[in-house]
Amino acid sequence: MPTSPDPRPFTLVDRPLHRNEAQQISVAIRETPNILGYSPEELLSFGGCLVAENDAGELAGVCVVKRLSRHWSEIAFLIVLPAFRKQGIGSALFDEAFQRLRDRGDTILCVSREVSILRLMEKAEMRFIPEWRMPPAVHLAKMRHYSSFYRFWESFRKAPMYRGQPPFRYAIRENR
């Protein structure tokens, strides 16, 4: 029996970002208070990303996963470009990244305060924890991750956006 074609208006692809896409994503991240910025160079340094493309091959969104320690990985960020929102792209990116990490056997960390991401974390049965409950190796990996001058400057620049916002929430899904 033939399977029906995927009804989604986008495709998920594993690939690095192109320079113009990295610049586009960097700008989009700068405009949101819920993701700490990445420079285009940092975005290009991620060997592979889970990229959502529309039928014309245009970038619609991206999800980046980072290995934090031997058995811990983080869904580091997920963003859907404004023109492509409300089409299920963010959910598809999150679900695919989450399932790949589960298949690999990793404990999954996700940090967000974005309502839509928090809902995805709950749907994935992630457990919300205080930040201090993470293992020391994970704290060290996150410190290295946030130690770039660009990310420091972005946290300073975005501080006014953080006023009145709910705090970031940490959630894990252990895979043992």
Side-chain angles (χ1 to χ4, degrees):
M1 178 174 221
T3 60
S4 60
D6 190 343
R8 298 182 301 191
F10 57 89
T11 306
L12 301 182
V13 181
D14 279 311
R15 66 169 177 79
L17 294 173
H18 305 298
R19 179 158 297 282
N20 64 329
E21 293 172 333
Q23 291 168 338
Q24 187 178 12
I25 292 294
S26 184
V27 168
I29 290 172
R30 278 196 304 270
E31 295 172 357
T32 177
N34 296 323
I35 303 174
L36 191 57
Y38 289 88
S39 69
E41 291 74 26
E42 287 175 304
L43 292 169
L44 289 169
S45 74
F46 298 130
C49 302
L50 187 56
V51 174
E53 298 176 342
N54 69 6
D55 292 339
E58 297 172 299
L59 177 73
V62 65
C63 182
V64 170
V65 171
K66 291 184 136 193
R67 172 79 68 175
L68 298 174
S69 69
R70 187 169 175 212
H71 297 290
W72 281 72
S73 289
E74 177 184 23
I75 297 176
F77 78 89
L78 184 157
I79 190 164
V80 176
L81 296 174
F84 297 99
R85 292 184 180 152
K86 306 290 185 204
Q87 297 179 39
I89 295 170
S91 296
L93 285 165
F94 183 93
D95 292 345
E96 182 67 22
F98 186 86
Q99 190 57 52
R100 288 177 183 192
L101 293 172
R102 292 225 37 218
D103 291 348
R104 201 161 72 187
D106 286 1
T107 294
I108 304 163
L109 170 68
C110 192
V111 181
S112 188
R113 68 167 169 220
E114 174 65 43
V115 173
S116 59
I117 300 296
L118 294 172
R119 275 193 228 120
L120 291 170
M121 292 158 64
E122 289 172 352
K123 180 182 160 208
E125 299 178 351
M126 296 184 81
R127 183 168 45 95
F128 291 96
I129 62 167
E131 181 181 9
W132 60 266
R133 296 261 329 263
M134 292 185 303
V138 173
H139 280 289
L140 288 172
K142 289 194 71 56
M143 282 175 31
R144 282 192 309 272
H145 173 70
Y146 289 104
S147 65
S148 78
F149 178 76
Y150 184 88
R151 294 178 67 70
F152 173 78
W153 177 250
E154 276 295 283
S155 66
F156 179 75
R157 186 186 69 78
K158 285 189 171 184
M161 291 183 197
Y162 292 163
R163 288 190 195 107
Q165 296 288 324
F168 284 93
R169 298 193 58 202
Y170 291 71
I172 63 168
R173 175 69 187 259
E174 295 173 296
N175 201 14
R176 294 178 205 166

